[in-house]
């Protein structure tokens, strides 16, 4: 059963260290007991009144082995655990750049 309008949002080109906020819209009211990111750079908060999950992503510095290119492709995910024990993963993708534009 599909719970979200989309399970992946692509932010396109973004700047290292600059906070990005995106919203996932649920198709129905959900009871989420835990929202867990794989690292500290991505967090989420679900609003039961609006059925929206607001995700905040702050891209880290470019890894040393990728710095010569001045950018890297990031794919960060949040695991949602529902009241009934089911889990689901939502993903944020971006092309993280190290220069100001």
């Amino acid at each position: 059963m599909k719970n979200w309008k989309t399970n992946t949002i692509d932010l396109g080109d973004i700047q290292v260290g600059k906070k990005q906020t995106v919203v996932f819209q649920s198709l129905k009211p959900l009871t989420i007991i835990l929202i867990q990111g794989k690292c500290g750079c991505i967090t989420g908060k679900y609003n039961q009144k609006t059925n929206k999950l607001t995700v905040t992503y702050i891209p880290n510095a470019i890894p040393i082995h990728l710095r010569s290119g001045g950018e890297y492709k990031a794919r960060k995910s949040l695991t949602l655990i529902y009241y009934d024990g089911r889990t689901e993963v939502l993903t944020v993708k971006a092309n993280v750049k190290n220069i100001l534009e």
Side-chain angles (χ1 to χ4, degrees), residues 8-78:
T8 302
I9 293 178
D10 189 341
L11 296 173
D13 292 340
I14 62 174
Q15 174 64 39
V16 167
K18 187 174 179 184
K19 180 168 77 170
Q20 303 292 316
T21 303
V22 295
V23 176
F24 287 89
Q25 178 66 52
S26 67
L27 298 172
K28 59 186 176 185
L30 300 169
T31 305
I32 301 171
I33 60 171
L34 182 64
I35 301 169
Q36 188 172 34
K38 297 211 183 235
C39 67
C41 64
I42 189 165
T43 59
K45 183 171 179 152
Y46 182 68
N47 183 322
Q48 287 188 297
K49 291 181 182 180
T50 62
N51 298 326
K52 292 179 181 179
L53 174 69
T54 302
V55 175
T56 302
Y57 170 48
I58 302 174
N60 294 324
I62 295 177
I64 292 172
H65 67 285
L66 298 175
R67 286 190 183 159
S68 63
E71 61 186 69
Y72 70 99
K73 295 199 180 299
R75 185 177 184 95
K76 300 296 179 177
S77 60
L78 287 172

